[in-house]
Amino acid sequence: MTDVQALVLAPPQPAPAAARGGKLSAYFGTPGNTLISVASIAAIVFIAKLAFGWLVVDAVFSGDGAVCKAASGACWPFVAQKLRYMLFGFYPYDEQWRPMLALLLLFGACLFSMMPRFWSRKLLIAWIIVILPALYILMAGGVFGLTPVPTTSWGGLPLSFTLSFVGLTLALPLGIVLALARASNLPAIRVLAVGFIEIVRGVPLISILFMATVMLPLFMPEGTTIDKLLRAQVAIILFASAYIAEIVRGGLQDVPAGQYEAGKSLGLHYWQIMRKIVLPQALKKVIPPMVGLFIGFFQDTTLVTIVGLVDFLDTVRSAIRDPEWQGIAVLEGYLVAAAVYFTFSALMGAYSRFLEVHFRTTHA
C-alpha cells in the first residue's frame, strides 16, 4: 500500500476539543481563556452598570443648568435645548427646515444609490441635474421664494456633509486620473502626476486649508474674492485626490499583466482597456482602503474650523461654551458628537463589507 492510499484509507481523526465543545470552548476551553473571559464579562457588566446609572438612573431630564449642576448624572435638558444649534449652527432659526429637508433628501438619495440594482447612467444624470441642484437651492435659497442664506451662515451637520460628500465625490474621478497618469508611459505626464501627489501628501490638510483660505486671496487681483466655503471645498478635493490616486495605483498594480495583453489582443485601445477591463478590477480590489479613507476624511472635516467655518463638532463646542451650561454638560455634548460620527462611520464600514460580498472580492 502506498503512502497516498494509506492516507486516503486512514480512519478520520477525532475533532479537536475546541471544535467538539462548540463556540463556548473558545472562551472557556482552557484556564487562561476562562480567566480572560470572566474578567472581560465582569468589566463589561461593571461599565454597563455605570453607564446606565449615568445615562438614565441619575440623569436629569428637565430643568436648567442649576438643576444639572446639582445632579450626578447626564444633563439631557442641555441636549434638548442646544440640539438644533448643534445640528444647523448659525443657519437662520426660522429657515432651519431647509437644511433638515436637504439632509433628508441627501440621505434618501444616497440610500437609493447604494442599491446595485439602481446603478445606471440615469441615476448619475439624476444626481447631476436634479439632486445636487436641489440640495444647493435648499441651502442657499434666492429662488422659488426662498430667503437667500450666505454660505457664511452654513454650519453644523449640513456643512460637514457638504464638505465630505462633495469633496470625496469629486476627488474620486480626479484621483483615478492621477493614478492613471502616474502609471503612464509618457514621462511628462508621469512626472507631473508624481510631483502633485507627493507634494500634496507631504503636507497636512490643515496647511492646505490655511493656504487656500488665507494665502490664496493675496495672489488674486485686487477686489476679487472667492467664497470661503468654495476655497475649503477645493482644498479638500485636491488633498483627497492625492490619497485616492495612491490607493487606486495599488489596485492597478495588482491587476495581472495578462489582462492588459488580453485587451490589446482584442483590438481595444488604451482607454477602452482601462474602462472595460482594468479599472473595474482595480477598483473592486481597493474597496476596503477606499472606504477607510472616506471615513477618515468625513471625520477630518472638523479641521475647517481653522479657516472660520463652523462644522458639526465646532457647533457642539460652541454649545458647551454657552455661559448657561459652561462646565456642566461637556460630556453630553461630546457624547452627541461621538454618536453621530460613529453612526455614519459604522454605516460606511457596513456598506464597504456589503460591496465586498456583492463584488465577491473575498476568498470566502
Side-chain angles (χ1 to χ4, degrees):
M1 181 183 295
T2 64
D3 293 340
V4 175
Q5 291 174 332
L7 182 62
V8 172
L9 298 176
Q13 298 296 322
R20 295 196 305 269
K23 294 182 179 180
L24 289 178
S25 62
Y27 303 100
F28 303 98
T30 64
N33 287 352
T34 302
L35 179 62
I36 294 174
S37 300
V38 171
S40 300
I41 293 173
I44 292 173
V45 171
F46 177 73
I47 294 173
K49 182 180 178 180
L50 290 179
F52 184 77
W54 185 81
L55 292 170
V56 179
V57 177
D58 300 325
V60 176
F61 293 93
S62 62
D64 55 10
V67 177
C68 289
K69 192 171 184 180
S72 59
C75 180
W76 298 122
F78 163 79
V79 177
Q81 181 177 331
K82 294 294 185 179
L83 183 60
R84 290 184 65 168
Y85 173 75
M86 289 190 287
L87 290 178
F88 306 118
F90 295 105
Y91 204 90
Y93 189 85
D94 295 334
E95 301 290 332
Q96 288 181 359
W97 63 270
R98 288 161 48 183
M100 174 60 75
L101 183 59
L103 285 177
L104 293 177
L105 176 60
L106 176 62
F107 295 158
C110 288
L111 182 62
F112 185 85
S113 303
M114 289 165 63
M115 302 179 187
R117 64 177 178 272
F118 296 124
W119 293 348
S120 64
R121 291 185 180 180
K122 293 181 180 179
L123 179 61
L124 178 61
I125 295 173
W127 270 99
I128 297 174
I129 298 180
V130 179
I131 299 174
L132 292 179
L135 293 174
Y136 179 78
I137 290 173
L138 282 172
M139 292 295 298
V143 295
F144 303 118
L146 298 175
T147 304
V149 178
T151 57
T152 53
S153 298
W154 296 14
L157 202 57
L159 179 65
S160 297
F161 275 106
T162 298
L163 292 171
S164 57
F165 178 80
V166 176
L168 294 172
T169 300
L170 297 180
L172 180 59
L174 179 58
I176 294 174
V177 172
L178 287 171
L180 294 176
R182 182 160 188 169
S184 174
N185 293 325
L186 301 176
I189 295 177
R190 185 173 63 252
V191 169
L192 289 175
V194 170
F196 174 83
I197 293 172
E198 296 303 326
I199 290 175
V200 172
R201 293 174 67 231
V203 295
L205 175 58
I206 195 170
S207 300
I208 296 180
L209 289 170
F210 182 81
M211 293 177 60
T213 305
V214 179
M215 298 185 64
L216 181 62
L218 300 178
F219 298 94
M220 301 296 294
E222 186 177 354
T224 302
T225 59
I226 302 177
D227 186 83
K228 186 184 296 185
L229 177 60
L230 179 60
R231 282 179 277 170
Q233 187 71 85
V234 172
I236 291 175
I237 292 172
L238 296 178
F239 190 79
S241 65
Y243 284 85
I244 292 174
E246 286 300 281
I247 293 176
V248 174
R249 186 171 70 92
L252 292 174
Q253 291 179 337
D254 194 52
V255 177
Q259 299 293 313
Y260 297 86
E261 298 170 358
K264 292 178 181 179
S265 67
L266 294 174
L268 302 179
H269 57 71
Y270 175 81
W271 291 110
Q272 288 178 321
I273 294 174
M274 288 297 164
R275 183 171 63 88
K276 297 182 177 182
I277 299 177
V278 177
L279 277 178
Q281 298 181 62
L283 293 178
K284 286 191 292 185
K285 295 175 182 292
V286 298
I287 288 175
M290 191 76 73
V291 175
L293 179 70
F294 286 3
I295 293 174
F297 270 95
F298 170 62
Q299 298 170 353
D300 286 344
T301 54
T302 57
L303 296 175
V304 298
T305 57
I306 194 68
V307 297
L309 297 176
V310 185
D311 76 310
F312 176 63
L313 185 59
D314 199 43
T315 57
V316 172
R317 292 179 183 143
S318 300
I320 293 173
R321 292 192 294 265
D322 189 323
E324 182 182 353
W325 303 97
Q326 191 169 12
I328 299 174
V330 177
L331 186 57
E332 290 84 344
Y334 285 114
L335 186 63
V336 172
V340 171
Y341 282 110
F342 173 78
T343 299
F344 288 102
S345 299
L347 288 175
M348 284 189 278
Y351 186 63
S352 169
R353 293 188 291 273
F354 166 77
L355 289 179
E356 292 178 49
V357 174
H358 175 75
F359 290 118
R360 299 177 182 176
T361 59
T362 63
H363 296 287

